[in-house]
Amino acid sequence: MGFFARFQTIVYIQISPSWVTVRHLQRGKPTIEFADTPLVAISIHPKRGKQLVAVGSAVKTLRPELDPGEELMIGNGFEHPRSVIGDVELAEIVLREWFRKILKSRGVLWVSPDCLIQVLGDWEGGLTSSEQETLRGLAIRAGARCAFMIEQPNPLMDEQIWDLYRPES
């Protein structure tokens, strides 16, 4: 294994409307996985603006005390009857927060990973090019160096991901 090969790092994202899994793979190290419901709670205050309150299953048990005029918005960025993305802002928050969790667990110094994205479920006619481009853009804004789509109905094992991932020399 060459010097730079030991720094190869991949984030594999599985997306469905009810569950998002993010796995961080790095050669020679155990895989780190984070999976949760993609719910987001944001408070909207007339003076302070929008503030993130909670992400994931913590949203379900949230009992916030709101100031007068403050509203609580709860949503799922990956839920929509005709598209894989319902709300780009909420979807980006989920990916950014979960990237942060898995990459911080590796330590202070980390390299921006390449990202493989797989949308689970049966999408009649497949994903549109704009949906694919939106998902790649979300991953890059969340912290990926680059992002690629995987069009396969079943989740992948780590070995399958490494077999698919062939970085240019």
Side-chain angles (χ1 to χ4, degrees):
M1 180 184 328
F3 176 75
F4 291 106
R6 77 180 87 178
F7 296 111
Q8 282 183 327
T9 179
I10 299 173
V11 170
Y12 169 53
I13 302 171
Q14 296 170 341
I15 296 172
S16 74
S18 60
W19 201 256
V20 174
T21 301
V22 179
R23 285 191 356 229
H24 185 229
L25 293 78
Q26 189 172 13
R27 294 231 188 250
K29 295 192 178 185
T31 298
I32 297 172
E33 179 174 298
F34 185 80
D36 204 346
T37 181
L39 292 174
V40 176
I42 296 175
S43 70
I44 304 169
H45 192 276
K47 293 181 182 174
R48 294 188 302 261
K50 292 182 179 180
Q51 293 182 323
L52 181 61
V53 177
V55 179
S57 56
V59 171
K60 293 178 183 178
T61 59
L62 194 62
R63 302 285 185 257
E65 292 185 24
L66 301 175
D67 292 341
E70 186 176 18
E71 297 178 37
L72 184 66
M73 179 184 81
I74 295 176
N76 178 342
F78 296 105
E79 190 172 58
H80 190 276
R82 295 179 313 275
S83 177
V84 69
I85 301 286
D87 185 309
V88 173
E89 180 183 11
L90 298 180
E92 182 177 340
I93 289 169
V94 167
L95 292 184
R96 190 178 58 236
E97 290 298 312
W98 292 348
F99 261 63
R100 187 175 303 150
K101 284 184 183 208
I102 63 168
L103 295 175
K104 274 188 175 180
S105 65
R106 291 281 189 211
V108 178
L109 179 63
W110 53 271
V111 177
S112 290
D114 291 348
C115 185
L116 300 176
I117 305 166
Q118 181 180 22
V119 178
L120 301 176
D122 185 25
W123 296 91
E124 188 175 329
L127 299 179
T128 66
S129 60
S130 60
E131 288 173 316
Q132 291 180 19
E133 186 59 34
T134 300
L135 288 168
R136 285 191 295 266
L138 289 172
I140 289 169
R141 288 192 302 277
R145 184 174 64 101
C146 57
F148 305 94
M149 297 297 300
I150 300 172
E151 294 194 36
Q152 184 177 336
N154 300 318
L156 301 176
M157 304 299 291
D158 289 359
E159 300 80 30
Q160 294 171 303
I161 295 168
W162 284 116
D163 286 346
L164 280 174
Y165 181 75
R166 304 225 186 276
E168 297 177 20
S169 301

